[in-house]
Amino acid sequence: HLLAQARDRGLATRTFRLGRVLGDSRSGVCLTTHFTCRVIKGCIQLGIAPDLGDLEIEMTPADYVAAALVHIARSDTTDEVFHLVNPVRMTFRELVGSMRRQGWDIQTVDRQQWWHALQRSLETSRNELHPVMDIVRDFVVGGEEAIDYDVSAAEKALAGSGIRCPPLDGRLMDTYFDYFTRSGYLTR
C-alpha cells in the first residue's frame, strides 16, 4: 500500500517478485537450508521420493536474480512489477531423475507412502526434512500448485543486457549437486 501511495504521488517505484532463489549458476553455492535443498536431501536420506508426477519445480539462480535486479533498478524503465523467476522449469520426476543420474538409488513411491516413511524416520534416524514437517505436509503431501509468473516485463527490461536466466536443466542441477557434495551437504 505504501508503494501504491508513493506511485500515486509521482514517485517512481518498482516491485520485484522473486521465485525460489537457489544457488549460483556457476559455482552452485547456495543456502542449503532452502526448502528445495531440504527436499532433495530428505529424499536421498530416505532412499525414496514422492511420486509428484509432472509437478513443475522452479529454481532461480541467485546470480541471475542479483544481476537482473541491479540492472532493472538502475534503468529508466517505466514498468512497475518485475518477476525474477526462472521461466524454464523441470518436473519433480525429472528432479528425481537428476538425483539418480548422480548415483543415488531413489525409488519413487506414492506420496502418502513417502509421508508415512518420513514420519516413521522421526523415531529412527535424522532427516533434513524433520525440522520442517509442517511445511512438508502442506506443500509436498497436500500438493502445491505451480504458479505461473509473467516474466515478460523483466525480459523486456533486460533485453540487450546479456543477462539471461540459466534454464533449470540437467546441467544446472549437476552444478548444484557438485556443490552439495563438495561442501559435504550430501555424500555420494
Side-chain angles (χ1 to χ4, degrees):
H1 291 291
L2 291 176
L3 279 176
Q5 288 176 353
R7 196 169 36 252
D8 290 345
R9 293 178 183 165
L11 292 175
T13 65
R14 291 188 183 95
T15 301
F16 295 93
R17 294 194 175 126
L18 310 182
R20 288 200 167 124
V21 181
L22 212 64
D24 181 87
S25 66
R26 297 161 304 216
S27 67
V29 172
C30 67
L31 184 64
T32 55
T33 55
H34 190 287
F35 184 70
T36 301
C37 297
R38 286 179 179 269
V39 169
I40 291 168
K41 184 173 182 176
C43 289
I44 290 169
Q45 288 173 319
L46 280 175
I48 57 175
D51 183 0
L52 301 179
D54 292 330
L55 174 73
E56 289 187 327
I57 305 299
E58 185 271 318
M59 297 180 209
T60 307
D63 52 313
Y64 162 74
V65 171
L69 197 146
V70 169
H71 179 82
I72 294 169
R74 296 183 69 181
S75 71
D76 58 358
T77 182
T78 57
D79 290 314
E80 299 172 357
V81 178
F82 301 92
H83 294 140
L84 301 180
V85 177
N86 198 333
V88 179
R89 299 174 182 176
M90 71 172 33
T91 64
F92 192 80
R93 182 178 294 126
E94 291 169 322
L95 177 61
V96 172
S98 291
M99 290 183 234
R100 289 178 181 141
R101 273 195 322 282
Q102 290 290 324
W104 288 289
D105 183 23
I106 307 290
Q107 302 304 312
T108 304
V109 298
D110 173 79
R111 75 174 71 192
Q112 287 300 322
Q113 184 180 348
W114 178 82
W115 172 244
H116 292 307
L118 181 61
Q119 287 178 309
R120 283 190 308 276
S121 74
L122 282 165
E123 299 170 11
T124 60
S125 61
R126 292 180 52 143
N127 188 288
E128 191 72 4
L129 291 170
H130 289 162
V132 292
M133 292 292 278
D134 289 341
I135 298 169
V136 172
R137 184 188 60 241
D138 292 345
F139 288 118
V140 179
V141 180
E144 178 181 14
E145 293 296 319
I147 299 171
D148 287 323
Y149 293 94
D150 182 359
V151 297
S152 59
E155 288 176 344
K156 178 180 164 189
L158 295 170
S161 70
I163 300 170
R164 288 185 176 67
C165 187
L168 180 54
D169 57 13
R171 183 176 163 193
L172 184 58
M173 287 310 303
D174 288 349
T175 301
Y176 291 151
F177 282 122
D178 287 346
Y179 171 72
F180 293 157
T181 55
R182 271 193 336 269
S183 69
Y185 181 66
L186 291 176
T187 55
R188 298 238 181 240

mmCIF file of all heavy atoms in Angstrom, residues 10 13 17 20-21 33 41 45 73 75 77 80 82 97-98 119-120 125 127 136 153 162 171 174 182 187:
data_model
loop_
_atom_site.group_PDB
_atom_site.id
_atom_site.type_symbol
_atom_site.label_atom_id
_atom_site.label_comp_id
_atom_site.label_asym_id
_atom_site.label_seq_id
_atom_site.Cartn_x
_atom_site.Cartn_y
_atom_site.Cartn_z
ATOM 1 N N GLY A 10 3.534 10.360 -7.514
ATOM 2 C CA GLY A 10 4.502 10.707 -8.542
ATOM 3 C C GLY A 10 5.892 10.124 -8.380
ATOM 4 O O GLY A 10 6.778 10.416 -9.185
ATOM 5 N N THR A 13 8.455 3.831 -8.661
ATOM 6 C CA THR A 13 8.577 2.635 -7.830
ATOM 7 C C THR A 13 8.743 1.420 -8.733
ATOM 8 O O THR A 13 8.314 1.416 -9.877
ATOM 9 C CB THR A 13 7.340 2.418 -6.933
ATOM 10 O OG1 THR A 13 6.208 2.169 -7.766
ATOM 11 C CG2 THR A 13 7.083 3.601 -6.029
ATOM 12 N N ARG A 17 9.396 -9.398 -7.733
ATOM 13 C CA ARG A 17 8.875 -10.629 -7.152
ATOM 14 C C ARG A 17 9.824 -11.748 -7.541
ATOM 15 O O ARG A 17 10.053 -11.999 -8.723
ATOM 16 C CB ARG A 17 7.459 -10.900 -7.646
ATOM 17 C CG ARG A 17 6.496 -9.844 -7.142
ATOM 18 C CD ARG A 17 5.056 -10.265 -7.317
ATOM 19 N NE ARG A 17 4.197 -9.259 -6.717
ATOM 20 C CZ ARG A 17 3.218 -8.654 -7.353
ATOM 21 N NH1 ARG A 17 2.938 -8.974 -8.603
ATOM 22 N NH2 ARG A 17 2.481 -7.752 -6.744
ATOM 23 N N ARG A 20 11.905 -19.059 -6.458
ATOM 24 C CA ARG A 20 12.662 -19.823 -5.458
ATOM 25 C C ARG A 20 14.137 -19.635 -5.770
ATOM 26 O O ARG A 20 14.704 -20.339 -6.600
ATOM 27 C CB ARG A 20 12.288 -21.293 -5.515
ATOM 28 C CG ARG A 20 10.916 -21.532 -4.980
ATOM 29 C CD ARG A 20 10.755 -22.987 -4.600
ATOM 30 N NE ARG A 20 9.556 -23.100 -3.816
ATOM 31 C CZ ARG A 20 8.560 -23.903 -4.113
ATOM 32 N NH1 ARG A 20 8.625 -24.683 -5.159
ATOM 33 N NH2 ARG A 20 7.496 -23.948 -3.343
ATOM 34 N N VAL A 21 14.729 -18.679 -5.110
ATOM 35 C CA VAL A 21 16.123 -18.345 -5.372
ATOM 36 C C VAL A 21 17.001 -19.429 -4.761
ATOM 37 O O VAL A 21 16.973 -19.658 -3.554
ATOM 38 C CB VAL A 21 16.482 -16.954 -4.814
ATOM 39 C CG1 VAL A 21 17.934 -16.629 -5.122
ATOM 40 C CG2 VAL A 21 15.543 -15.896 -5.391
ATOM 41 N N THR A 33 19.786 -24.608 3.627
ATOM 42 C CA THR A 33 18.574 -24.697 4.433
ATOM 43 C C THR A 33 17.333 -24.329 3.614
ATOM 44 O O THR A 33 16.220 -24.372 4.134
ATOM 45 C CB THR A 33 18.659 -23.796 5.680
ATOM 46 O OG1 THR A 33 18.947 -22.464 5.262
ATOM 47 C CG2 THR A 33 19.719 -24.304 6.646
ATOM 48 N N LYS A 41 17.718 -33.480 -0.242
ATOM 49 C CA LYS A 41 18.489 -34.273 0.709
ATOM 50 C C LYS A 41 17.597 -35.247 1.478
ATOM 51 O O LYS A 41 17.979 -36.403 1.710
ATOM 52 C CB LYS A 41 19.240 -33.367 1.686
ATOM 53 C CG LYS A 41 20.145 -34.154 2.631
ATOM 54 C CD LYS A 41 21.005 -33.247 3.480
ATOM 55 C CE LYS A 41 21.925 -34.056 4.377
ATOM 56 N NZ LYS A 41 22.840 -33.193 5.140
ATOM 57 N N GLN A 45 18.156 -39.186 1.750
ATOM 58 C CA GLN A 45 18.318 -39.855 3.037
ATOM 59 C C GLN A 45 17.320 -41.003 3.212
ATOM 60 O O GLN A 45 17.663 -42.046 3.764
ATOM 61 C CB GLN A 45 18.171 -38.845 4.180
ATOM 62 C CG GLN A 45 19.336 -37.901 4.297
ATOM 63 C CD GLN A 45 19.090 -36.805 5.323
ATOM 64 O OE1 GLN A 45 17.996 -36.249 5.420
ATOM 65 N NE2 GLN A 45 20.119 -36.503 6.108
ATOM 66 N N ALA A 73 16.846 -2.033 -11.670
ATOM 67 C CA ALA A 73 16.727 -0.920 -10.717
ATOM 68 C C ALA A 73 17.454 0.328 -11.209
ATOM 69 O O ALA A 73 17.028 1.449 -10.925
ATOM 70 C CB ALA A 73 17.272 -1.344 -9.354
ATOM 71 N N SER A 75 17.856 1.102 -14.401
ATOM 72 C CA SER A 75 17.367 1.509 -15.719
ATOM 73 C C SER A 75 16.250 2.535 -15.579
ATOM 74 O O SER A 75 15.756 2.790 -14.487
ATOM 75 C CB SER A 75 16.870 0.290 -16.495
ATOM 76 O OG SER A 75 15.668 -0.184 -15.931
ATOM 77 N N THR A 77 13.302 2.198 -17.000
ATOM 78 C CA THR A 77 12.085 1.531 -17.450
ATOM 79 C C THR A 77 10.870 2.075 -16.725
ATOM 80 O O THR A 77 10.966 2.521 -15.579
ATOM 81 C CB THR A 77 12.190 0.002 -17.250
ATOM 82 O OG1 THR A 77 10.999 -0.594 -17.760
ATOM 83 C CG2 THR A 77 12.348 -0.365 -15.799
ATOM 84 N N GLU A 80 6.438 -1.401 -13.661
ATOM 85 C CA GLU A 80 6.446 -1.318 -12.206
ATOM 86 C C GLU A 80 6.693 -2.636 -11.506
ATOM 87 O O GLU A 80 7.182 -2.660 -10.393
ATOM 88 C CB GLU A 80 5.115 -0.750 -11.717
ATOM 89 C CG GLU A 80 4.847 0.649 -12.223
ATOM 90 C CD GLU A 80 3.444 1.111 -11.895
ATOM 91 O OE1 GLU A 80 2.666 0.330 -11.318
ATOM 92 O OE2 GLU A 80 3.136 2.256 -12.213
ATOM 93 N N PHE A 82 8.286 -6.594 -11.706
ATOM 94 C CA PHE A 82 9.195 -7.497 -12.414
ATOM 95 C C PHE A 82 9.257 -8.827 -11.676
ATOM 96 O O PHE A 82 9.602 -8.871 -10.496
ATOM 97 C CB PHE A 82 10.598 -6.885 -12.489
ATOM 98 C CG PHE A 82 10.604 -5.566 -13.184
ATOM 99 C CD1 PHE A 82 10.465 -4.391 -12.465
ATOM 100 C CD2 PHE A 82 10.716 -5.493 -14.566
ATOM 101 C CE1 PHE A 82 10.458 -3.162 -13.107
ATOM 102 C CE2 PHE A 82 10.709 -4.274 -15.214
ATOM 103 C CZ PHE A 82 10.577 -3.102 -14.488
ATOM 104 N N GLY A 97 15.051 -37.892 -11.410
ATOM 105 C CA GLY A 97 15.960 -38.449 -12.408
ATOM 106 C C GLY A 97 17.357 -37.869 -12.296
ATOM 107 O O GLY A 97 18.358 -38.582 -12.472
ATOM 108 N N SER A 98 17.460 -36.582 -11.975
ATOM 109 C CA SER A 98 18.769 -35.949 -11.766
ATOM 110 C C SER A 98 19.487 -36.564 -10.576
ATOM 111 O O SER A 98 20.699 -36.773 -10.606
ATOM 112 C CB SER A 98 18.612 -34.441 -11.534
ATOM 113 O OG SER A 98 18.192 -33.784 -12.693
ATOM 114 N N GLN A 119 7.561 -39.803 8.412
ATOM 115 C CA GLN A 119 7.098 -39.729 9.795
ATOM 116 C C GLN A 119 7.759 -40.815 10.649
ATOM 117 O O GLN A 119 8.178 -40.545 11.775
ATOM 118 C CB GLN A 119 5.575 -39.866 9.861
ATOM 119 C CG GLN A 119 4.842 -38.641 9.384
ATOM 120 C CD GLN A 119 3.341 -38.848 9.415
ATOM 121 O OE1 GLN A 119 2.828 -39.842 8.897
ATOM 122 N NE2 GLN A 119 2.639 -37.916 10.025
ATOM 123 N N ARG A 120 7.829 -42.033 10.130
ATOM 124 C CA ARG A 120 8.461 -43.127 10.884
ATOM 125 C C ARG A 120 9.945 -42.840 11.138
ATOM 126 O O ARG A 120 10.487 -43.219 12.175
ATOM 127 C CB ARG A 120 8.320 -44.456 10.134
ATOM 128 C CG ARG A 120 6.941 -45.081 10.252
ATOM 129 C CD ARG A 120 6.902 -46.511 9.710
ATOM 130 N NE ARG A 120 7.420 -46.666 8.363
ATOM 131 C CZ ARG A 120 6.730 -46.466 7.241
ATOM 132 N NH1 ARG A 120 5.465 -46.097 7.299
ATOM 133 N NH2 ARG A 120 7.296 -46.639 6.064
ATOM 134 N N SER A 125 15.937 -42.176 12.714
ATOM 135 C CA SER A 125 17.103 -41.560 12.060
ATOM 136 C C SER A 125 16.899 -40.060 11.911
ATOM 137 O O SER A 125 15.823 -39.537 12.167
ATOM 138 C CB SER A 125 17.320 -42.203 10.674
ATOM 139 O OG SER A 125 16.180 -41.981 9.863
ATOM 140 N N ASN A 127 16.733 -36.769 9.486
ATOM 141 C CA ASN A 127 16.413 -36.427 8.112
ATOM 142 C C ASN A 127 16.344 -34.916 8.005
ATOM 143 O O ASN A 127 15.837 -34.243 8.911
ATOM 144 C CB ASN A 127 15.089 -37.071 7.677
ATOM 145 C CG ASN A 127 14.832 -36.899 6.194
ATOM 146 O OD1 ASN A 127 14.533 -35.816 5.720
ATOM 147 N ND2 ASN A 127 14.967 -38.007 5.461
ATOM 148 N N VAL A 136 6.364 -29.539 4.882
ATOM 149 C CA VAL A 136 6.343 -30.732 4.024
ATOM 150 C C VAL A 136 4.913 -31.232 3.878
ATOM 151 O O VAL A 136 4.453 -31.533 2.770
ATOM 152 C CB VAL A 136 7.253 -31.842 4.601
ATOM 153 C CG1 VAL A 136 7.082 -33.137 3.823
ATOM 154 C CG2 VAL A 136 8.708 -31.408 4.597
ATOM 155 N N ALA A 153 7.926 -8.516 -18.485
ATOM 156 C CA ALA A 153 8.442 -7.184 -18.134
ATOM 157 C C ALA A 153 9.931 -7.263 -17.803
ATOM 158 O O ALA A 153 10.708 -6.398 -18.215
ATOM 159 C CB ALA A 153 7.665 -6.597 -16.955
ATOM 160 N N GLY A 162 22.494 -8.803 -22.002
ATOM 161 C CA GLY A 162 23.258 -10.043 -21.876
ATOM 162 C C GLY A 162 22.911 -10.836 -20.625
ATOM 163 O O GLY A 162 23.464 -11.906 -20.391
ATOM 164 N N ARG A 171 22.163 -29.691 -16.605
ATOM 165 C CA ARG A 171 23.453 -29.010 -16.395
ATOM 166 C C ARG A 171 23.442 -28.168 -15.119
ATOM 167 O O ARG A 171 24.387 -28.226 -14.325
ATOM 168 C CB ARG A 171 23.756 -28.144 -17.616
ATOM 169 C CG ARG A 171 25.070 -27.447 -17.556
ATOM 170 C CD ARG A 171 25.313 -26.712 -18.846
ATOM 171 N NE ARG A 171 26.359 -25.737 -18.640
ATOM 172 C CZ ARG A 171 26.644 -24.788 -19.481
ATOM 173 N NH1 ARG A 171 25.989 -24.671 -20.609
ATOM 174 N NH2 ARG A 171 27.603 -23.933 -19.216
ATOM 175 N N ASP A 174 23.389 -30.441 -12.150
ATOM 176 C CA ASP A 174 24.718 -31.010 -11.922
ATOM 177 C C ASP A 174 25.596 -30.026 -11.150
ATOM 178 O O ASP A 174 26.342 -30.413 -10.253
ATOM 179 C CB ASP A 174 25.396 -31.380 -13.249
ATOM 180 C CG ASP A 174 24.781 -32.600 -13.903
ATOM 181 O OD1 ASP A 174 23.979 -33.305 -13.260
ATOM 182 O OD2 ASP A 174 25.105 -32.838 -15.096
ATOM 183 N N ARG A 182 30.679 -31.274 -2.757
ATOM 184 C CA ARG A 182 31.939 -30.590 -2.378
ATOM 185 C C ARG A 182 31.861 -30.024 -0.977
ATOM 186 O O ARG A 182 32.821 -30.046 -0.229
ATOM 187 C CB ARG A 182 32.235 -29.441 -3.354
ATOM 188 C CG ARG A 182 33.024 -29.768 -4.542
ATOM 189 C CD ARG A 182 33.549 -28.524 -5.301
ATOM 190 N NE ARG A 182 32.832 -27.279 -5.124
ATOM 191 C CZ ARG A 182 31.817 -26.851 -5.896
ATOM 192 N NH1 ARG A 182 31.378 -27.588 -6.882
ATOM 193 N NH2 ARG A 182 31.259 -25.689 -5.673
ATOM 194 N N THR A 187 26.567 -36.736 0.550
ATOM 195 C CA THR A 187 27.674 -37.655 0.276
ATOM 196 C C THR A 187 27.220 -38.634 -0.795
ATOM 197 O O THR A 187 26.048 -39.000 -0.865
ATOM 198 C CB THR A 187 28.093 -38.431 1.544
ATOM 199 O OG1 THR A 187 26.940 -39.099 2.071
ATOM 200 C CG2 THR A 187 28.668 -37.498 2.589
#
